[in-house]
Amino acid sequence: MEGIGQLAGRSLKTFGRRKMMPRACVADSKRHLRAFMSEVLEDLGFVTSECSGAGELQAVLGSELPDLILLGIAADGIEPGRFLEILVREAFDGKVLAVGARDSIIVKAVQQVGEEYGLAMLPPLTTPFAAETLRERVAMLLPDEPVPSPAVHVGEALHAGWLELWYQSKIEARSLVRRGAEALVRMRHPTWGVVPPAYFIPESHDPHFRDLSEFVIERALQDWHYLLERQSAVDLSINLPAPYLREPQAVRDLCRRMPTHPAFGGLTIEIASGEAIRDLDFLTEIAREMRFHNIGLSIDNLGANWPELMGLDKIPFIKLKADRQFVTGCGNDRLKRTVCRHIVELAQGYGARAVAEGVESRGDLMAVNELGFDLVQGYLFGKPMPLKKFARSALTQTVMERG
Ligand code: G
Ligand code: MN
């Protein structure tokens, strides 16, 4: 066991098993390079900050406490000599990763001087590099266990502006053309990094429950305009709890807020299957008004509870989405396939579209195509990603090679 004396000398952030997300500071004089490297590091699980020159370094070291500094090196970039001196003077005890051209003399010099100064220089990363190479280089800084659940209050997150919507494409099963995207709420917490909603969705009696739903609606509409400007109109789906729609004025407000822009193709509201089935009559009541405003309801995560939708005159949903538990791996699992088949049949019977979520492999895609799903969604086509990245990726990539 370690004695108190030894502990006292260590900073809390490195004590014992890592309890926090690692932090990285991306130092480069060019803004677009900083943005790119930050994005890669955030995908790896870092909380990032940026620094555009030696002059900012001291402040960043003091406020951000980075574990890693990515130092972009170019002839016309940051003055690496001054930069290293500041790191030494401030007794920086994290790692330094120099990034630069393969045969660059400056990169070699930085490496050598950094080592002589006693800084923990990682082997330099030469450009162009693959994200995987960067991951290997910084692997020792990543937590080896999933981050423990942060008790973050959603009210605090809303107030601090930590919430954002991430987007995952919805793809037409047969043509593999993108047909829309689902907006998923994420928290970008300054300590914990990106936190999925399981950790912060409030209980329905929590007063912030309503605020969170309103945030999702408001942001999705903002983002719709952003995507329209950057690339094209994207039909968005958002997730809302059924009890929110029962709030006075909620449905009317929602209808009133729909864009009047001619490119607006409609909004889908996904409602968790348990809630949706419990509230079927009410949803049927509001579905009509919503249809007039180009809002469609979808049942989300439908699974073994599919029989509860049998034998009805009609359902208020334009889409039925199969839970990924029954989609991922359904190619070689008859039970999963049976559930999926029933969901597709239900959808067809009610004139709704069947959506398969959790398509992770080509095998899954083949299976859901065979089953007759209309739309697919899943890691095979991309994980949910921040708005800007989503806007860029949709511009540069075709969804998948056809064939
Ligand atoms: O509950 P809802 O269906 O709205 O949430 C979708 C969640 O499923 C998102 O958090 C998303 O990250 C996750 N997801 C989407 N596609 C896949 C996939 O292919 N595999 C897995 N494991 N998760 C997925
Ligand atoms: Mn959903």
Side-chain angles (χ1 to χ4, degrees):
M1 265 212 30
E2 287 177 279
I4 285 290
Q6 275 165 293
L7 285 181
R10 291 221 210 152
S11 59
L12 189 64
K13 67 190 163 102
T14 55
F15 167 62
R17 257 186 299 139
R18 287 194 73 85
K19 291 235 165 39
M20 296 190 212
M21 304 289 285
R23 292 167 163 266
C25 171
V26 176
D28 200 293
S29 60
K30 300 206 174 56
R31 197 161 60 93
H32 67 281
L33 289 177
R34 291 199 301 275
F36 167 69
M37 310 245 240
S38 300
E39 204 171 82
V40 175
L41 288 169
E42 280 175 14
D43 279 353
L44 293 177
F46 282 86
V47 175
T48 63
S49 55
E50 295 180 16
C51 170
S52 66
E56 288 174 17
L57 181 59
Q58 196 167 339
V60 170
L61 289 177
S63 61
E64 304 290 337
L65 306 171
D67 304 285
L68 168 71
I69 290 189
L70 227 76
L71 178 53
I73 292 171
D76 58 349
I78 282 175
E79 300 162 73
R82 245 189 92 203
F83 206 88
L84 295 178
E85 275 167 28
I86 297 171
L87 289 179
V88 173
R89 199 175 65 220
E90 297 295 315
F92 176 65
D93 64 353
K95 313 271 186 218
V96 180
L97 176 58
V99 184
R102 182 172 300 275
D103 297 315
S104 155
I105 297 169
I106 320 179
V107 173
K108 291 202 179 91
V110 165
Q111 196 68 16
Q112 200 182 340
V113 172
E115 281 164 11
E116 282 167 10
Y117 279 169
L119 293 167
M121 304 297 295
L122 296 174
L125 189 61
T126 52
T127 50
F129 61 87
E132 194 46 42
T133 315
L134 177 54
R135 171 186 273 281
E136 281 162 19
R137 222 42 79 80
V138 300
M140 83 280 247
L141 295 167
L142 293 169
D144 40 3
E145 282 181 43
V147 182
S149 60
V152 188
H153 198 269
V154 68
E156 185 190 3
L158 278 164
H159 186 74
W162 294 337
L163 296 184
E164 51 191 89
L165 294 180
W166 285 33
Y167 291 89
Q168 186 182 38
S169 295
K170 276 192 156 76
I171 315 286
E172 189 173 277
R174 300 206 170 269
S175 64
L176 300 185
V177 170
R178 192 185 67 190
R179 288 293 179 224
E182 176 174 6
L184 297 150
V185 65
R186 294 286 186 269
M187 182 192 302
R188 202 183 284 271
H189 189 273
T191 304
W192 300 101
V194 175
V195 180
Y199 295 119
F200 62 84
I201 294 284
E203 302 282 330
S204 61
H205 56 262
D206 187 311
H208 295 291
F209 183 73
R210 182 202 176 109
D211 299 342
L212 181 62
S213 298
E214 272 165 12
F215 164 82
V216 169
I217 296 165
E218 197 58 49
R219 181 61 63 86
L221 294 174
Q222 263 175 37
D223 291 353
W224 182 82
H225 285 285
Y226 177 90
L227 290 169
L228 179 66
E229 250 168 56
R230 298 298 152 117
Q231 41 158 297
S232 61
V234 183
D235 293 348
L236 297 181
S237 304
I238 58 175
N239 297 279
L240 286 181
Y244 170 74
L245 296 173
R246 281 190 174 275
E247 301 254 330
Q249 303 296 324
V251 170
R252 184 157 313 156
D253 279 354
L254 193 58
C255 291
R256 213 167 28 84
R257 271 144 96 178
M258 286 307 105
T260 51
H261 195 287
F264 180 63
L267 177 75
T268 301
I269 297 179
E270 301 189 4
I271 299 170
S273 64
E275 286 177 3
I277 289 168
R278 232 175 292 134
D279 251 350
L280 223 42
D281 292 341
F282 170 70
L283 294 177
T284 307
E285 229 170 83
I286 62 172
R288 231 169 78 92
E289 183 184 352
M290 292 185 134
R291 284 306 299 149
F292 287 130
H293 292 86
N294 223 343
I295 303 171
L297 298 179
S298 168
I299 194 163
D300 204 356
N301 313 112
L302 191 59
N305 51 354
W306 65 266
E308 299 185 52
L309 290 181
M310 269 172 60
L312 305 168
D313 288 342
K314 57 176 183 164
I315 52 168
F317 310 112
I318 58 160
K319 292 185 190 125
L320 303 186
K321 191 187 218 181
D323 193 298
R324 63 169 192 263
Q325 197 190 327
F326 299 95
V327 172
T328 313
C330 70
N332 37 32
D333 185 320
R334 283 189 52 182
L335 276 175
K336 290 183 181 181
R337 236 177 10 253
T338 303
V339 172
C340 286
R341 184 169 296 119
H342 283 298
I343 291 173
V344 172
E345 279 169 12
L346 275 178
Q348 287 170 348
Y350 289 117
R353 285 193 289 166
V355 187
E357 175 179 271
V359 173
E360 293 187 358
S361 65
R362 283 182 174 267
D364 293 344
L365 177 62
M366 273 168 56
V368 298
N369 239 319
E370 221 160 88
L371 285 160
F373 278 96
D374 303 289
L375 293 165
V376 295
Q377 200 182 329
Y379 290 175
L380 178 64
F381 307 100
K383 292 190 172 178
M385 55 184 106
L387 173 71
K388 288 182 184 159
K389 188 172 178 189
F390 179 74
R392 274 199 301 275
S393 76
L395 277 181
T396 53
Q397 285 170 17
T398 47
V399 162
M400 232 175 108
E401 308 102 280
R402 315 253 177 122

